[in-house]
Amino acid sequence: MIVSVVIELARVLITFSYFKIFLNTGKKITHMWTCVLSFFITTICYVMFNISIVNVVSTIAGILIISMAFEGKARSKVLLSILCCSIMITTDFAVYFIYPDNGDSAYNIVVSFLSILFFYIVVMLLKLIFRKLSLIHISEPTRQAETS
């Protein structure tokens, strides 16, 4: 159970990091409270119910809660939340494909750890790609500067 709580905390922090790539940050105290709220919602649902559909709904709710703390249009936040959920589902699918169920008692913990690891790798790759794109955009001269 403790491992599951730590993995859920990592998922919330990585989700927060994901939104920082695309949206402007607001107040830090707001981010902290939305992350805490998201963590408690997802953890309580996982520990108390441990039913797949409840876990999925609580994860989507947690993603939306985290996104609402950022500045920007609601439409952008919802679309980025859908993309985040899609990335999570894709990484889960990749883990299940790579590491099929072999009846091991620690299977759920290993799969959860690998899933969060793959999610972290994807978010770091996105961060790297968008950092390079923003550097290219900033370093390119504008057309007005070239004609002056």
Side-chain angles (χ1 to χ4, degrees):
M1 185 173 116
I2 293 174
V3 174
S4 298
V5 171
V6 171
I7 288 173
E8 196 56 46
L9 178 62
R11 187 180 306 272
V12 167
L13 294 175
I14 295 169
T15 304
F16 174 74
S17 179
Y18 163 81
F19 281 107
K20 279 178 54 176
I21 297 169
F22 302 105
L23 297 173
N24 293 328
T25 57
K27 296 179 181 177
K28 289 184 180 185
I29 191 77
T30 307
H31 291 299
M32 183 184 72
W33 284 113
T34 56
C35 285
V36 168
L37 180 63
S38 175
F39 172 72
F40 279 126
I41 287 172
T42 54
T43 303
I44 288 170
C45 287
Y46 181 77
V47 170
M48 291 189 69
F49 301 110
N50 201 13
I51 301 170
S52 294
I53 191 69
V54 174
N55 293 341
V56 169
V57 169
S58 69
T59 300
I60 292 171
I63 291 169
L64 287 170
I65 289 169
I66 292 172
S67 73
M68 293 305 155
F70 287 88
E71 295 175 356
K73 295 181 180 178
R75 180 178 172 188
S76 298
K77 294 175 187 178
V78 170
L79 290 174
L80 286 169
S81 297
I82 291 170
L83 180 62
C84 183
C85 188
S86 300
I87 292 170
M88 285 183 183
I89 290 170
T90 305
T91 56
D92 286 346
F93 179 74
V95 168
Y96 287 123
F97 184 72
I98 292 169
Y99 191 74
D101 190 2
N102 58 2
D104 189 14
S105 61
Y107 176 75
N108 286 336
I109 293 173
V110 172
V111 166
S112 296
F113 177 76
L114 289 174
S115 177
I116 198 69
L117 180 65
F118 284 5
F119 181 51
Y120 179 72
I121 291 169
V122 169
V123 169
M124 290 301 110
L125 288 173
L126 284 172
K127 187 181 279 190
L128 182 67
I129 289 168
F130 280 94
R131 183 182 309 155
K132 287 192 176 192
L133 286 177
S134 68
L135 290 175
I136 292 169
H137 178 68
I138 292 170
S139 64
E140 288 179 357
T142 61
R143 290 187 181 197
Q144 284 183 335
E146 290 176 358
T147 59
S148 301

